[in-house]
Amino acid sequence: MRIDIVTAFPKMLESPLNESMLKKAQERKVVEIVVHDLRDYAHDKHRTVDDSPYGGGAGMVLKPEPVFEAVEALLAERTYSEVILLTADGETFNQSIANEISLKANLIFICGHYKGVDERIRERLVTREISIGDYVLTGGEIAALTVIDAVVRLLPGALGDSESALNDSFQTGLLDSPQYTRPAEFRGMKVPEVLLAGDHEEVRKWREAKSIERTTARRPDLIEKFLSEPDAAKAPAHKK
């Protein structure tokens, strides 16, 4: 997969894209991530990418010219499956969407900023609009990182354990079960015996029960949806 990010603030992305899993995924050639400075496509001496909105009102709006130039330059080089705009009024991002996007070939992310983007960008360039929640951020950079992290970790080879992403919270429609590691006892707190006994089937049953218990307590909306779905819909889709 190739991911291109168009942003007016590229430095906001530098550190997160070069740490932890995202760094390793790029080193392993699982994904190529390229950040493009939107100001490189502004042709006035001040490299202006925003302007005040027609009709008045507070805030600034990203201009169409530099965004169109940036995206069209990318589209001239290769085929992209999606051109995604990060915006507060997009569809709310979740694990199901992450799974879907992870099967795409190449992606462009446009990071909205200020008051938003000129509507013509949405009408002509964007194929999908995504929000990471019902709140407002200064720009789409943090939202883009959130979506990219969730998507890239699903790509084969991104994680050291290929099964890890398939067993995460939300993949089955439930929250994950409690997790433990060494030591077996810490300050009087012991790891449940079932996890130490070596019976994989009993461990599976324990984790399933605890997952349902935790989801019922913390996300009753998820447990209601989980119980109403057919069994086939509850199993995570293993990618080849």
Side-chain angles (χ1 to χ4, degrees):
M1 177 184 286
R2 163 138 171 168
I3 296 174
D4 290 271
I5 310 171
V6 178
T7 171
F9 297 91
K11 290 185 178 180
M12 290 183 67
L13 304 169
E14 288 178 2
S15 178
L17 292 176
N18 288 284
E19 296 287 347
S20 190
M21 180 277 299
L22 287 174
K23 178 183 179 181
K24 292 179 180 178
Q26 292 175 83
E27 290 175 344
R28 293 170 181 163
K29 308 300 182 183
V30 171
V31 64
E32 180 182 6
I33 304 176
V34 182
V35 178
H36 304 270
D37 189 341
L38 184 60
R39 298 182 192 279
D40 289 342
Y41 297 89
H43 303 299
D44 65 304
K45 65 179 181 179
H46 300 295
R47 305 176 77 207
T48 306
V49 297
D50 63 315
D51 207 336
S52 55
Y54 278 124
M60 303 292 280
V61 178
L62 283 180
K63 294 163 60 65
E65 303 100 309
V67 177
F68 267 79
E69 282 198 30
V71 173
E72 288 173 347
L74 293 171
L75 294 174
E77 294 180 359
R78 61 183 51 81
T79 300
Y80 289 86
S81 301
E82 297 274 16
V83 178
I84 299 171
L85 173 67
L86 288 308
T87 176
D89 56 357
E91 61 182 318
T92 303
F93 187 64
N94 57 29
Q95 190 62 47
S96 177
I97 295 174
N99 291 343
E100 178 190 345
I101 293 176
S102 73
L103 300 175
K104 307 288 187 179
N106 301 307
L107 307 170
I108 296 175
F109 287 86
I110 301 174
C111 299
H113 216 86
Y114 309 114
K115 189 69 174 176
V117 303
D118 186 288
E119 189 67 17
R120 290 165 289 190
I121 295 170
R122 298 188 188 213
E123 292 174 353
R124 292 292 181 90
L125 293 179
V126 173
T127 63
R128 190 165 201 163
E129 300 180 22
I130 290 178
S131 165
I132 61 168
D134 294 340
Y135 45 86
V136 177
L137 299 171
T138 302
E141 287 76 17
I142 295 173
L145 288 169
T146 300
V147 175
I148 290 168
D149 187 276
V151 168
V152 170
R153 69 192 314 279
L154 296 171
L155 301 179
L159 300 179
D161 181 352
S162 61
E163 293 296 311
S164 180
L166 297 175
N167 297 320
D168 285 341
S169 290
F170 307 111
Q171 284 287 20
T172 62
L174 300 172
L175 300 180
D176 201 1
S177 60
Q179 300 293 329
Y180 296 88
T181 189
R182 295 180 180 85
E185 182 174 349
F186 176 70
R187 296 185 180 179
M189 297 177 285
K190 297 181 179 180
V191 173
E193 286 295 329
V194 65
L195 299 179
L196 305 175
D199 188 326
H200 296 299
E201 179 60 19
E202 289 302 311
V203 169
R204 185 194 66 77
K205 291 178 180 178
W206 180 88
R207 284 177 171 164
E208 184 178 278
K210 288 297 182 181
S211 181
I212 291 173
E213 178 183 307
R214 176 166 285 186
T215 307
T216 301
R218 301 185 181 188
R219 291 291 302 275
D221 58 317
L222 290 179
I223 198 68
E224 182 178 343
K225 181 179 179 182
F226 176 79
L227 294 175
S228 67
E229 288 181 346
D231 289 343
K234 299 174 184 177
H238 288 248
K239 296 186 295 181
K240 295 181 179 179

